[in-house]
Amino acid sequence: AGKNIYLSIDLDLQRYMTEQFKSDKGAFIAMEAKTGKIIVAVSNPEYSLNFMSSRFSSEEWDKLINDPNKPLNNKFSGSAYPPGSTFKVVTGMAILEAGISPQQTMYSTGSFQIGRTIFRDSHRGGHGTTNFYKAIRESVNTYFYTFSREVGIERVAKTATDFGLGEKTGIDIPGEEKGVVPTPEWKMKRFNQKWLPGDLVNMSIGQGYVLTTPLQVLMVYQGIANKGVMYKPTVVDKFVSFDGKVENKEPEVLRKLPFKPENIEIMREALKEPVNKPGGTARILYFPNLPVSAKTGTAQNTGFKDHHSWLAGYFPSDNPEIVFISLVEGGGYGGVASGDLVRKFIIKYNEKYNIAQ
C-alpha cells in the first residue's frame, strides 16, 4: 500500500477564493511565510474534473484545448507574465546594494526621455521630489528609470537571479515555467539585436522582456518577509503510511538571499508605506489592527483590453505569517481588481485564524 498524501491547502479558504474570482481570469496564491506551505492556489478559469474522468468526444476535447481562456494552463506556476511594478522591489534592491542611499532623491516631472523616446510616470504630472520610500509608496516609475541606469543592467539582472527569477522554484506540481530575466546576451541570442538603453528602463518597472510566474513573484516577497530566507514552495503537508505512521513535510530552505541585512530591512520598511501612508497605492489593504505590507503592479500586455492587475505582499508586517500574490489578467489598476481580492482574503483569513492584534 502507498502512503496517503495530505495537502497543505486550506479547503475553506481555497473554496472561498475560487468563488471570489468568478468571471476574472488569473491566479491567487497564499503561502505560510515560514514553511513554504501553500494554503491557497487558485488558477481561473478552471475545467471540470468530472469531464476528465468520463468519456468525451474529440470535438469536446478540441473545444477545451483551443479555449482562448486556457483553462488547462496552471496560471500560478505554469504561465509567465510581465510582473509590472511588483518587480520594483528587485530593481530597488539592486539600487540599495549599489550603495545608493534610500534618502537620495530625484525630481519626478512625469516623463523621462532617452533620445526621441519618452517614458511616462504613473502620474502624468509627476510625483515631485522622490526618495526610495516614496518611490515604493507611490510607485514612481521615473525613480527606477533614473537609478537603474546608474547601477546598470548587470546588477539589476544579477539581483533578479539572486531572487530566483529566471529559474524554476521546484514546487511539487509539474509544468512549472522558468520565466525570463533579460540580459544583453539573452537579447542577442533570442532576437539577434543589441541591448538598448530603453530595454533597461522598461525592465526596471517589470515591463519589456522580463517575465515571471505569480509563484516566482510570491517567492521574492517571501524572501523579504523572512529577512532573506526563502523556503521551497510545496502543496504537501504530510504523508501517512498504511500503518498510521505520520511523516510531516519539513520546511526546506531554498536559498538565502545574498543582500545586506540593512538593505532587506530598508525594503521591509518601504513595503509598509503603500498600505499605511497617504498616497500609497495599496491603501485598500489598510486594517487598523492588522498591519499589511504590499506592492501593487499594473502591467502592460498584448491581447487584453486593459493592463494586468498585480498585488504582492505579506502580513502581519513585522512578523509575517502569510505571503500572498494576486494576478487578474486584464484587470486594470493593481490596487483595485487585485486589491479587492486580497482584501477579501485577509478578512476571511482573520475570521478563521483571528490574528488581528
Side-chain angles (χ1 to χ4, degrees):
K3 298 172 184 175
N4 287 325
I5 297 177
Y6 287 77
L7 298 184
S8 56
I9 298 293
D10 184 310
L11 185 58
D12 296 333
L13 295 174
Q14 176 75 19
R15 184 178 284 131
Y16 177 75
M17 290 311 296
T18 301
E19 288 168 358
Q20 299 316 304
F21 258 82
K22 297 172 187 166
S23 59
D24 288 329
K25 297 185 284 289
F28 183 92
I29 317 172
M31 169 192 280
E32 293 178 358
K34 295 177 177 66
T35 67
K37 290 182 178 179
I38 292 171
I39 63 168
V40 176
V42 175
S43 175
N44 203 56
E46 298 182 318
Y47 57 89
S48 169
L49 292 177
N50 291 331
F51 173 80
M52 286 296 189
S53 63
S54 60
R55 292 175 68 97
F56 49 82
S57 67
S58 57
E59 290 81 12
E60 288 174 314
W61 175 243
D62 287 343
K63 184 180 177 184
L64 182 63
I65 62 174
N66 293 314
D67 187 329
N69 293 323
K70 300 182 179 177
L72 291 175
N73 260 38
N74 159 15
K75 294 179 187 293
F76 59 79
S77 65
S79 298
Y81 304 84
S85 293
T86 59
F87 188 79
K88 286 174 180 171
V89 298
V90 176
T91 310
M93 188 60 72
I95 291 167
L96 294 173
E97 286 286 297
I100 294 171
S101 166
Q103 299 302 341
Q104 188 169 335
T105 62
M106 52 76 66
Y107 192 82
S108 162
T109 62
S111 63
F112 184 89
Q113 190 163 351
I114 300 179
R116 295 180 181 176
T117 307
I118 294 176
F119 298 87
R120 297 288 179 189
D121 224 324
S122 45
H123 289 333
R124 285 204 169 268
H127 298 257
T129 303
T130 301
N131 65 10
F132 181 81
Y133 297 98
K134 183 176 178 179
I136 293 289
R137 178 172 74 246
E138 298 183 12
S139 207
V140 184
N141 290 347
T142 47
Y143 176 93
F144 296 94
Y145 298 157
T146 300
F147 289 112
S148 67
R149 295 195 73 199
E150 197 167 312
V151 306
I153 175 58
E154 288 78 12
R155 187 180 284 274
V156 174
K158 183 180 185 306
T159 304
T161 55
D162 285 342
F163 270 116
L165 301 182
E167 61 182 82
K168 296 178 181 180
T169 66
I171 188 174
D172 36 23
I173 294 175
E176 186 177 11
E177 277 283 331
K178 290 199 307 184
V180 174
V181 174
T183 61
E185 297 75 22
W186 173 87
K187 188 182 179 188
M188 180 56 69
K189 186 177 179 181
R190 177 76 171 77
F191 298 108
N192 196 29
Q193 294 175 357
K194 285 185 177 180
W195 187 261
L196 300 173
D199 292 333
L200 176 56
V201 166
N202 271 328
M203 180 181 177
S204 74
I205 61 164
Q207 294 286 171
Y209 299 116
V210 62
L211 293 172
T212 61
T213 66
L215 178 62
Q216 287 174 322
V217 178
L218 178 87
M219 295 301 291
V220 168
Y221 285 78
Q222 187 215 43
I224 295 166
N226 288 333
K227 299 184 178 181
V229 180
M230 277 187 186
Y231 292 100
K232 190 174 181 178
T234 179
V235 292
V236 177
D237 184 42
K238 62 186 176 183
F239 302 96
V240 180
S241 60
F242 67 94
D243 59 358
K245 183 183 175 185
V246 176
E247 297 173 31
N248 288 313
K249 181 80 182 283
E250 296 300 323
E252 183 180 340
V253 175
L254 180 63
R255 68 178 68 234
K256 292 187 177 178
L257 300 177
F259 311 129
K260 293 176 183 174
E262 56 266 35
N263 288 336
I264 294 175
E265 199 51 46
I266 289 168
M267 186 65 74
R268 284 167 57 89
E269 287 302 308
L271 284 172
K272 295 176 182 178
E273 300 210 355
V275 177
N276 296 291
K277 291 283 184 76
T281 57
R283 292 285 288 167
I284 191 171
L285 300 185
Y286 175 75
F287 297 93
N289 56 353
L290 181 52
V292 179
S293 295
K295 179 76 193 76
T296 54
T298 309
Q300 295 176 359
N301 59 85
T302 54
F304 289 85
K305 289 180 180 178
D306 209 338
H307 302 330
H308 290 332
S309 170
W310 287 89
L311 187 54
Y314 50 86
F315 64 90
S317 291
D318 290 326
N319 187 22
E321 188 170 303
I322 297 295
V323 191
F324 57 80
I325 182 85
S326 174
L327 164 70
V328 178
E329 293 181 357
Y333 182 62
V336 179
S338 280
D340 185 52
L341 286 167
V342 174
R343 183 175 179 84
K344 287 176 178 175
F345 167 76
I346 294 173
I347 291 170
K348 195 72 175 177
Y349 184 90
N350 187 54
E351 283 176 2
K352 184 168 183 177
Y353 294 105
N354 193 28
I355 65 165
Q357 298 165 352

